[in-house]
Amino acid sequence: MAAMPGTPFALPLPTQAFPLILRDVACARGEARVFGGLDLAVEAGGLWLVRGANGAGKTTLLRLLAGLLKPAGGAALWGDGRAPRTVPERAVLVGHQEALKPALSVAENLGFWARFHGVTENPWPHASDPFGVWALADVPVRALSAGQKRRVSLTRLAFARAPLWLLDEPTTALDAAGQRIVWELVALHRRRGGAAVVTTHAKGTVDGANELVLGEAR
Amino acid sequence: MAAMPGTPFALPLPTQAFPLILRDVACARGEARVFGGLDLAVEAGGLWLVRGANGAGKTTLLRLLAGLLKPAGGAALWGDGRAPRTVPERAVLVGHQEALKPALSVAENLGFWARFHGVTENPWPHASDPFGVWALADVPVRALSAGQKRRVSLTRLAFARAPLWLLDEPTTALDAAGQRIVWELVALHRRRGGAAVVTTHAKGTVDGANELVLGEAR
Amino acid sequence: MTVFLAVLRRDLLLALRDGAGTWTVLGFFVIAVAVFPLGIGPEPQVLARIAPGVLWAMALLAALLSLDTLFEGDYRDGSLEILLSAELLPELLVLAKALAHWLATGLPLALAAPLLGVFLHLPGEAMPVLFASLLLGTPVLSLLGAVGAALALGARRATVLLAVMVLPLAAPVLIFGAGAVESAQTGLAAAPSLLILGGVALCALAVCPVAAAAALRQAVE
Amino acid sequence: MTVFLAVLRRDLLLALRDGAGTWTVLGFFVIAVAVFPLGIGPEPQVLARIAPGVLWAMALLAALLSLDTLFEGDYRDGSLEILLSAELLPELLVLAKALAHWLATGLPLALAAPLLGVFLHLPGEAMPVLFASLLLGTPVLSLLGAVGAALALGARRATVLLAVMVLPLAAPVLIFGAGAVESAQTGLAAAPSLLILGGVALCALAVCPVAAAAALRQAVE
Amino acid sequence: MVAQALKAMHDTVLRVAQPARFVALAGAWIPWVSVAALVFLAAGLVEGLALSPPDYQQGETVRIMYVHVPAAWMGLFVYALVAGLGGVGLVGGHPLAFHAARAAAPLGAAFTAVCLVTGALWGKPMWGAWWVWDARLTSMLLLLFLYFGHIALSRAFDETRRGDKAAAVLGLVGCVNLPVVKFSVDWWNTLHQPASVMKLGGPSVDPAMLWPLLLMAGAFKLGFFALWLARTRTEVVEARLRAAAGRLRAEGGAR
Ligand code: HEM
Ligand SMILES: Nc1ncnc2c1ncn2[C@@H]1O[C@H](COP(=O)(O)OP(=O)(O)OP(=O)(O)O)[C@@H](O)[C@H]1O
Ligand SMILES: Nc1ncnc2c1ncn2[C@@H]1O[C@H](COP(=O)(O)OP(=O)(O)OP(=O)(O)O)[C@@H](O)[C@H]1O
Ligand SMILES: [Mg+2]
Ligand SMILES: [Mg+2]
């Protein structure tokens, strides 16, 4: 991977709103309660690894942190007293879904997200290309392999200026090299003051990471 | 997991058509060649682990073995001289895509696939439920978590009578327990004379497995 | 046979449960027909004059709209590949899906049409012919549509493609179908048109599944 | 503003490139209108009499059909959640998407309508009014549709729901739009109807984005 | 004997149909065919616009015929050609047939559109309406739709071969429309006039009008061949470029 100077990774991050604190939070999907009584503090430079069986509520937790779900109980608040919901642009979520349009090429898709994240000039070759998808620039996303799609989707992180990264099983479908890049990016992001909450089913751990294991029941 | 007697796993498999042999096979997607010069023999009871970088052609290879793609060069033949294409019901493919209808419940989806594979009586509780999705029987698939979906999709293996299993990154999105079940099922399938070709990005290996690493170029 | 029934059953279930199924088609039909008096004005003679054409044209469009999902869903979620690798002949698979489509859309359309005819001041004598003509004509739409849907599978712009492909072929059905109703309305014999429709339906039954199956095999390549 | 333009640009690109965009809508419109003479018969007087109603009704249906994908694609692939978490006001997001929808569908419909009018024997005098009425009316459909699409988001049977929700609201647009053309056709003044249409368009512009934004926030909960 | 001759012919066709050979041959032919087309066109225009007499009934508007009728013939002819090429491609699997069909379809659509437009322009003075829904006009409109379907379908897939095959099927099925266009004037009571040139028993048109008509028909046909050769050549070259780009991507570190 290559995170060159002059790329978004070299820009300062708006980290003053940390920590993001959850206190006795409960969450429901549909009518069913998924988890409850959760306490969590996400600090600047921090990393939480979220584990748990299938259906334990990992994805649900990330959506809560992104402000897409309201807690069914308890409180989730940023350091400046605002709920995740009311302060967008604070977190970037890369979920199970790729947020890519199959009909558009890789360059068109990434161009859109770059503009969305405020990178106004042509993102390439100025921005970094951590996952090496530049070679696929003209290929429509529908013709990509599963791992290639994920690489393109994760490249969005290189444009985002949000201090909090929410990554839902980011290493899914990636080969060994791709997985390594994910963890290197997370480390880089933490060094510049960002924080990350990452769900994973893999066993290894990461330097200075906190672990959260959700619901023992399946 | 529980593979009870009286379930499909106890039934004999039609394995006399093995081996499936690829000789100097080349494959193309769209206009582009993906790999070439591939030799491979899948024997009864055998297991091939297919590795390779993202986009190396693992999924493409599985589609070829399932008879969904014709080789662009070379020959792919079963022991009885037939091409994969002309002999369906020999292989079952569980791919990146789930082949589940979001609007239908787990029971309805699995009921359909059971009937499709010739299990005419109500598949539950007669058939085995290796992934423990019985508890979710009445939930519409659209309300499942990523891992739960994958479990339901893999449960199809319990109904299939095909001697060759083609599994494309089957452990994706599964928690540790789920991943273990996959490998146990594969072992069980091999013991009754079936073979499996499994793609994976994980590092570990399996007893008596052959390894195939696709395209070193990336 | 089990597989044929399984596919039929599942598709009917989906049509009743899900988006592009029975309710959408019926809803579209009712609304599209209801829109006409608003646009054209309430004069009974004018409405009665155009009623056969409008009812048939809207039934055609309604059926057409539901067709682009005939194989698309199965194709996208990977089911189609599995279905095609079964011991079932692809021709029978097409037949099962076309039959399910007809039961889920054509039949309800035929049943609903006389009711809507009342709103357009279609005389009572013409109702049985309206029903009969749709009963004979809608299976042709389902079958032709299956060919179109299989050809357009995975294509960009599938819906237009489908419409552009199916419409020229479906035009005779429309002409004879609406013609039969008009004959009945004006007191002429509707039987010849209905017989032709029946003949067309038989031809479609013989030819379309084969063509669609060939197209499907192409699509999952 | 960058985000507004980025969304507008991408949606236009998608509409020109992909399934439910400009080509589908235009294709549907042309084919739907062409179906009528086949069903109703070739008499010029009858066709001219129903031309304003048919053209407006089919334009309405064409716009309606393309609406169910307005937010659906973004919702399914996870883009919508990200878009809603931007510094852009959701109201502006709705506006960008509705504008893109209108540019990609409403405008082409208005441009194509006079040509189709020729086929239905609509007199030349009525053409400018037909164009003007669609130019004023189609933005209302895009805006109303945005509300409907946001409300129906993630619902099963989105298309019917959408139609059932939007149609009653769009009925006045249809009545005044077709009315204007009919006036022009029969030599009456079309201006009053057109002014009313303009007024409706302004109201819709003020109210709909707010309503749709509220519905969107609900949907991603 | 016959078998041998057939075999020789077949071999010749195959030799010419080698894409590489075809590109060279087309390059040599295009200038000649183009020049011939221009000569025919000039002669036809002079004959048709200046030398031929106005019709005793239709007056000067009859001159529309010299465009309308050749365009109509070409619209029908090219569709048959496209369908035939598609059939050859489906059965023989020869790529050049698909390239040629793909190149011809838009040209045929253009001819059909010209026929429709000139017919409409002619119809206004003759019938008092731009358009009537009689069998010939309607079936010709359907032919245009079929062309559109063919063009759209052949370009709707990432894999060009799939588009070609699907479009070929549609082209063959759509052939049922051709006799309807041709014979609609005989089968039904239409406003459009029946055949007077291409019919059993020889043409029943005054030679002064027949000559310019035939010259224009020749010009249209030759012009079509020139454009068709050029477009087919482009298709062949494009396919090669695409294949090369694919190879490059596969080798040059795509992932
Ligand atoms: C949009 C309207 C029209 C369409 C689509 C149309 C279509 C056609 C077609 C397809 C043909 C070729 C038939 C064949 O090859 O046998 C044709 C021939 C012809 N058309 Fe038209 N036509 C139209 C309007 C007119 C009008 C208004 C006139 C003049 C009154 C006219 C006069 C002719 C004549 C003289 C021929 C040559 C017939 C022959 O000698 O074979 N057409 N037209
Ligand atoms: N539908 C398609 N059309 C055209 N090209 C495709 C298509 N699907 C995949 N490809 C290309 O074929 C190559 C091999 O893809 P394949 O899906 O087999 O890779 P893979 O080894 O399974 O990768 P991954 O680990 O990411 O799943 C890739 O370069 C990809 O871009
Ligand atoms: N859209 C939904 N509607 C209703 N319930 C849902 C929905 N999505 C998920 N659930 C339920 O909420 C619970 C938690 O789901 P979630 O997706 O958070 O699990 P997860 O921990 O991410 O699992 P996985 O490891 O499988 O991704 C599950 O029991 C699931 O069935
Ligand atoms: Mg999850
Ligand atoms: Mg893969």
Side-chain angles (χ1 to χ4, degrees):
Chain A
M1 67 163 280
M4 297 158 278
T7 70
F9 276 97
L11 297 174
L13 269 186
T15 56
Q16 60 284 356
F18 280 114
L20 169 59
I21 295 186
L22 306 196
R23 211 167 277 132
D24 191 29
V25 160
C27 235
R29 290 307 284 272
E31 318 276 287
R33 185 187 181 85
V34 176
F35 57 74
L38 185 73
D39 293 296
L40 188 76
V42 185
E43 311 271 357
L47 169 62
W48 279 94
L49 292 180
V50 183
R51 301 179 192 279
N54 292 138
K58 302 179 291 300
T59 300
T60 306
L61 174 63
L62 291 194
R63 293 174 64 86
L64 179 99
L65 293 174
L68 294 169
L69 271 177
K70 271 202 224 106
L77 289 176
W78 281 86
D80 54 6
R82 300 210 242 174
R85 136 125 304 177
T86 58
V87 191
E89 274 303 291
R90 238 168 225 191
V92 52
L93 171 67
V94 179
H96 291 304
Q97 295 162 309
E98 255 103 27
L100 301 173
K101 300 289 166 195
L104 301 186
S105 72
V106 171
E108 285 166 339
N109 268 296
L110 283 179
F112 170 69
W113 285 120
R115 247 170 266 121
F116 175 81
H117 284 296
V119 181
T120 41
E121 341 82 273
N122 186 344
W124 277 324
H126 303 294
S128 64
D129 177 21
F131 290 97
V133 292
W134 177 225
L136 300 167
D138 294 329
V139 182
V141 163
R142 97 181 85 79
L144 294 185
S145 79
Q148 288 169 333
K149 271 195 204 123
R150 196 126 258 277
R151 280 165 180 260
V152 176
S153 161
L154 285 164
T155 300
R156 203 150 52 77
L157 293 174
F159 308 133
R161 297 280 314 282
L164 177 59
W165 282 7
L166 304 170
L167 310 182
D168 203 356
E169 300 186 41
T171 54
T172 294
L174 292 184
D175 55 21
Q179 301 188 8
R180 208 163 41 239
I181 297 172
V182 169
W183 295 118
E184 281 176 31
L185 278 185
V186 169
L188 203 61
H189 179 64
R190 290 171 67 195
R191 276 204 292 283
R192 61 175 180 165
V197 180
V198 183
T199 70
T200 179
H201 290 302
K203 271 180 226 101
T205 184
V206 178
D207 278 358
N210 304 298
E211 303 233 347
L212 171 68
V213 180
L214 283 178
E216 302 306 334
R218 219 211 356 255
Chain B
M1 68 162 280
M4 298 159 273
T7 70
F9 276 97
L11 297 175
L13 269 187
T15 57
Q16 60 285 357
F18 281 114
L20 170 59
I21 294 186
L22 306 195
R23 212 168 275 136
D24 192 27
V25 159
C27 234
R29 290 307 284 272
E31 318 269 295
R33 186 186 179 86
V34 176
F35 57 75
L38 184 73
D39 293 296
L40 187 78
V42 185
E43 312 270 356
L47 168 62
W48 278 94
L49 291 180
V50 183
R51 300 177 194 279
N54 291 138
K58 301 179 292 301
T59 300
T60 306
L61 174 63
L62 290 194
R63 293 174 63 87
L64 180 100
L65 293 174
L68 293 169
L69 271 177
K70 270 201 224 101
L77 289 177
W78 280 88
D80 53 6
R82 299 209 243 175
R85 137 125 305 177
T86 58
V87 191
E89 275 302 293
R90 242 171 221 190
V92 52
L93 171 67
V94 180
H96 291 305
Q97 295 161 309
E98 254 104 26
L100 301 172
K101 300 288 167 197
L104 301 187
S105 72
V106 170
E108 284 165 336
N109 267 295
L110 283 179
F112 170 70
W113 285 119
R115 246 170 267 122
F116 174 81
H117 284 296
V119 181
T120 41
E121 340 82 273
N122 187 347
W124 277 325
H126 303 296
S128 63
D129 177 21
F131 290 97
V133 292
W134 177 224
L136 300 167
D138 293 331
V139 182
V141 163
R142 110 180 74 76
L144 294 185
S145 79
Q148 289 169 333
K149 270 194 203 121
R150 195 125 259 278
R151 282 166 178 259
V152 176
S153 162
L154 285 164
T155 300
R156 202 150 55 77
L157 293 174
F159 309 132
R161 296 279 314 283
L164 177 59
W165 283 7
L166 304 170
L167 310 183
D168 203 356
E169 300 186 39
T171 53
T172 293
L174 292 184
D175 54 22
Q179 300 188 12
R180 209 165 38 243
I181 297 172
V182 170
W183 295 118
E184 280 175 32
L185 278 186
V186 168
L188 203 61
H189 178 63
R190 290 172 67 194
R191 275 204 292 283
R192 58 174 182 165
V197 180
V198 183
T199 71
T200 178
H201 289 301
K203 267 177 230 104
T205 185
V206 178
D207 277 358
N210 304 296
E211 303 234 344
L212 171 69
V213 181
L214 282 178
E216 300 306 334
R218 224 217 345 253
Chain C
M1 209 53 208
T2 347
V3 179
F4 184 91
L5 289 178
V7 172
L8 184 64
R9 202 186 122 122
R10 185 198 56 165
D11 271 29
L12 283 175
L13 206 59
L14 273 173
L16 290 173
R17 191 79 58 84
D18 203 18
T22 307
W23 302 116
T24 311
V25 170
L26 270 185
F28 175 88
F29 188 46
V30 172
I31 283 171
V33 172
V35 152
F36 275 87
L38 294 180
I40 291 174
E43 290 139 70
Q45 307 89 309
V46 178
L47 290 180
R49 168 70 189 76
I50 63 169
V54 167
L55 287 171
W56 251 96
M58 291 303 105
L60 175 70
L61 290 180
L64 212 63
L65 285 172
S66 59
L67 273 169
D68 60 340
T69 50
L70 190 59
F71 299 110
E72 195 68 23
D74 282 344
Y75 179 68
R76 286 237 195 96
D77 71 9
S79 303
L80 188 63
E81 309 176 342
I82 307 174
L83 288 173
L84 279 178
S85 72
E87 90 271 46
L88 185 72
L89 272 181
E91 283 76 10
L92 285 178
L93 173 67
V94 171
L95 215 56
K97 292 198 73 94
L99 182 59
H101 179 263
W102 179 73
L103 287 174
T105 65
L107 193 59
L109 282 178
L111 289 170
L115 187 65
L116 292 175
V118 173
F119 287 99
L120 295 182
H121 303 281
L122 195 70
E125 309 88 74
M127 294 304 179
V129 178
L130 177 65
F131 178 67
S133 71
L134 282 169
L135 213 58
L136 287 170
T138 45
V140 183
L141 299 182
S142 295
L143 286 164
L144 277 179
V147 180
L151 279 177
L153 205 55
R156 293 157 262 162
R157 287 173 221 151
T159 320
V160 216
L161 267 177
L162 195 75
V164 176
M165 282 190 290
V166 172
L167 189 85
L169 301 173
V173 181
L174 175 65
I175 293 172
F176 288 114
V181 183
E182 226 172 277
S183 310
Q185 196 180 13
T186 52
L188 302 172
S193 296
L194 289 181
L195 280 179
I196 296 181
L197 272 185
V200 172
L202 286 180
C203 288
L205 193 63
V207 176
C208 290
V210 180
L216 279 187
R217 285 206 201 87
Q218 287 280 329
V220 295
E221 270 256 306
Chain D
M1 208 54 208
T2 345
V3 178
F4 184 90
L5 289 178
V7 172
L8 183 64
R9 202 184 122 122
R10 184 197 57 165
D11 271 29
L12 282 176
L13 205 61
L14 273 173
L16 290 174
R17 191 78 58 84
D18 203 19
T22 306
W23 302 114
T24 312
V25 170
L26 269 185
F28 175 86
F29 188 44
V30 171
I31 281 171
V33 171
V35 150
F36 278 89
L38 297 181
I40 291 175
E43 288 140 71
Q45 306 87 312
V46 177
L47 289 179
R49 170 70 189 75
I50 61 167
V54 166
L55 287 171
W56 251 96
M58 291 305 108
L60 175 70
L61 289 181
L64 211 63
L65 284 174
S66 59
L67 274 169
D68 60 341
T69 52
L70 191 60
F71 298 109
E72 194 68 23
D74 283 343
Y75 178 69
R76 285 236 196 97
D77 70 11
S79 303
L80 188 62
E81 310 175 342
I82 306 175
L83 287 173
L84 281 178
S85 71
E87 90 272 45
L88 185 74
L89 272 180
E91 282 77 9
L92 285 178
L93 174 67
V94 171
L95 215 55
K97 292 197 75 94
L99 181 58
H101 180 262
W102 180 72
L103 286 174
T105 64
L107 192 57
L109 282 179
L111 290 171
L115 185 67
L116 292 175
V118 172
F119 284 94
L120 295 182
H121 302 281
L122 195 69
E125 310 86 73
M127 295 302 177
V129 177
L130 176 64
F131 179 68
S133 70
L134 281 170
L135 213 57
L136 287 170
T138 44
V140 184
L141 299 183
S142 294
L143 286 164
L144 278 179
V147 181
L151 282 174
L153 207 54
R156 290 156 269 162
R157 291 174 218 153
T159 320
V160 214
L161 256 179
L162 195 73
V164 174
M165 280 189 297
V166 172
L167 193 86
L169 296 174
V173 181
L174 176 67
I175 292 172
F176 287 113
V181 183
E182 227 172 277
S183 311
Q185 196 181 15
T186 51
L188 301 173
S193 297
L194 288 181
L195 281 178
I196 296 180
L197 272 186
V200 173
L202 286 180
C203 290
L205 193 63
V207 176
C208 290
V210 181
L216 280 188
R217 286 208 201 82
Q218 287 282 331
V220 294
E221 271 255 308
Chain E
M1 250 326 268
V2 177
Q4 253 171 355
L6 275 180
K7 172 107 175 51
M9 233 172 77
H10 181 246
D11 290 350
T12 321
V13 169
L14 273 192
R15 199 151 14 88
V16 175
Q18 290 303 316
R21 231 184 119 71
F22 175 83
V23 169
L25 271 182
W29 278 57
I30 289 169
W32 295 109
V33 183
S34 314
V35 168
L38 287 177
V39 169
F40 268 74
L41 185 67
L45 283 179
V46 171
E47 278 271 352
L49 295 185
L51 302 183
S52 75
D55 190 79
Y56 74 102
Q57 270 185 332
Q58 310 189 344
E60 298 291 340
T61 52
V62 76
R63 299 184 200 285
I64 295 177
M65 176 175 73
Y66 304 129
V67 178
H68 172 75
V69 177
W73 287 343
M74 288 307 289
L76 294 171
F77 166 75
V78 175
Y79 193 88
L81 181 74
V82 167
L85 286 169
V88 169
L90 278 183
V91 174
H94 204 293
L96 191 61
F98 285 135
H99 291 316
R102 184 183 274 269
L107 295 173
F111 284 122
T112 308
V114 168
C115 167
L116 286 166
V117 169
T118 53
L121 290 174
W122 204 359
K124 187 68 183 173
M126 297 314 303
W127 306 331
W130 301 104
W131 183 264
V132 290
W133 291 91
D134 81 0
R136 156 140 306 168
L137 274 58
T138 305
S139 56
M140 199 62 181
L141 190 63
L142 288 186
L143 185 69
L144 187 68
F145 285 163
L146 281 173
Y147 268 122
F148 284 161
H150 190 283
I151 295 169
L153 197 55
S154 67
R155 283 157 182 68
F157 298 91
D158 291 332
E159 293 169 56
T160 44
R161 190 48 17 91
R162 231 205 111 205
D164 285 333
K165 287 186 179 168
V169 174
L170 179 66
L172 287 173
V173 175
C175 273
V176 295
N177 193 37
L178 290 184
V180 177
V181 177
K182 178 78 192 158
F183 299 114
S184 49
V185 279
D186 305 328
W187 293 345
W188 289 284
N189 205 351
T190 55
L191 209 49
H192 194 281
Q193 75 173 67
S196 46
V197 181
M198 293 212 278
K199 65 171 193 182
L200 292 174
S204 58
V205 181
D206 186 70
M209 288 179 171
L210 188 57
W211 270 115
L213 184 59
L214 291 182
L215 281 173
M216 286 301 280
F220 272 48
K221 189 138 289 177
L222 288 167
F224 164 74
F225 271 108
L227 289 172
W228 183 39
L229 283 178
R231 288 179 54 90
T232 308
R233 185 175 56 169
T234 313
E235 290 287 345
V236 171
V237 174
E238 265 185 1
R240 282 203 214 150
L241 281 177
R242 269 198 310 271
R247 262 200 309 280
L248 271 185
R249 233 194 352 264
E251 286 159 11
R255 45 175 174 188

